[in-house]
Amino acid sequence: LAGRGNDARMIRLRYEGGRENQGAWELILAQLRQVEFEVKQAKRALEVSQWQLAVVLGRPDRHEVVVKGELTVRPMAPKPDFREAAKRTPAHFQRLAQVSAARAGVTVARSSWMPSISASFRSSRSGEDWVPPDQGWSAGLSASWSLFEGGQTWFNVKSARAALEQSFITLRKTDDDTALSLAQDYKSYVDALERIDVEKERLKAVALRNRIAEEQYRNGLVNFQDFNAITSDFISEQKTELAVRRDAVIAEANLEQSQGIGELP
């Protein structure tokens, strides 16, 4: 916004001095209005983002949520072993718990083949006194085994074993899918970090070109069309460089989320 404002003031002075035409002045004025709109639009988007973050954090007022600092990422993390990393994710432990539950289901189903054993003990006294002198006791032990149940136990065990096998298959597939997702997220993360360096160099070159063009335009060495094109390219490159840094932060967050790690600063 400041850059477009400075350009507008410079061109207005040239237009009022008869050194620039009205079309150039109206064009730069329209571009200034566009930038002002984009700034207001960004502020409104910021307010919405504050509300979203306040809801996630359980804060009653969005104005309490203020994020400070620069949009930067940490140095590139080393390439992990994706299959081993997949075994440390929440998805892996969730499927592993399902395997344990299925294994317990097999044990429960097989228990129907085991005999049911019960024991009892009884003690008594008899006589005419308050404390009877005669004492007796009895104990018993019984066992039962269901032999004729129409093959229900056999089918239950077979079904439980099938469920256990399915849980192992699901676990392996989950680990494979997670490893692939980690590999894709790591690629996006590395690409985003490397693009930051590329965009920094490009922005540096475009900024230098813009300063030279501005000086040349002040001295009448380039026309308005060339100056405006170079200035627009500089502004566009600034937006691109900022978007690249934003994408890198998002890529880093996606990689951490895939691994089930991450922390608030």
Side-chain angles (χ1 to χ4, degrees), residues 74-230:
R74 293 189 292 269
M76 185 180 299
K79 183 178 180 180
D81 185 330
F82 300 120
R83 290 197 174 276
E84 289 299 320
K87 296 178 181 179
R88 297 190 296 269
T89 62
H92 171 81
F93 290 112
Q94 181 182 11
R95 297 304 182 187
L96 194 61
Q98 293 175 353
V99 170
S100 299
R103 186 179 286 113
V106 174
T107 302
V108 172
R110 293 178 62 184
S111 65
S112 299
W113 275 332
M114 299 294 103
S116 176
I117 300 176
S118 61
S120 62
F121 176 81
R122 180 182 180 186
S123 175
S124 63
R125 285 179 178 272
S126 61
E128 298 178 354
D129 299 330
W130 176 255
V131 180
D134 299 329
Q135 181 179 4
W137 61 272
S138 63
L141 182 67
S142 63
S144 62
W145 194 356
S146 298
L147 296 178
F148 304 101
E149 51 183 19
Q152 180 179 357
T153 299
W154 184 83
F155 284 109
N156 287 344
V157 172
K158 185 176 181 180
S159 176
R161 285 176 176 172
L164 177 60
E165 183 178 355
Q166 179 62 42
S167 69
F168 277 116
I169 294 174
T170 303
L171 175 62
R172 288 193 295 269
K173 186 177 185 305
T174 298
D175 287 346
D176 289 342
D177 291 344
T178 303
L180 176 59
S181 178
L182 287 172
Q184 292 171 337
D185 289 340
Y186 185 79
K187 173 191 174 298
S188 299
Y189 164 71
V190 173
D191 289 347
L193 286 187
E194 291 183 350
R195 191 181 176 192
I196 288 179
D197 295 333
V198 174
E199 289 300 327
K200 282 183 178 179
E201 291 298 321
R202 177 174 171 79
L203 178 59
K204 181 180 178 181
V206 172
L208 176 60
R209 179 170 175 248
N210 181 74
R211 288 196 300 270
I212 294 174
E214 183 176 352
E215 187 65 26
Q216 289 177 332
Y217 181 70
R218 290 179 185 275
N219 296 324
L221 299 178
V222 296
N223 57 35
F224 171 77
Q225 287 78 11
D226 292 339
F227 168 69
N228 188 58
I230 294 174

Side-chain angles (χ1 to χ4, degrees), residues 37-50:
F37 162 74
E38 291 176 356
V39 171
K40 293 178 181 178
Q41 186 181 44
K43 289 181 179 179
R44 289 190 289 268
L46 176 60
E47 292 179 357
V48 174
S49 298
Q50 284 180 310

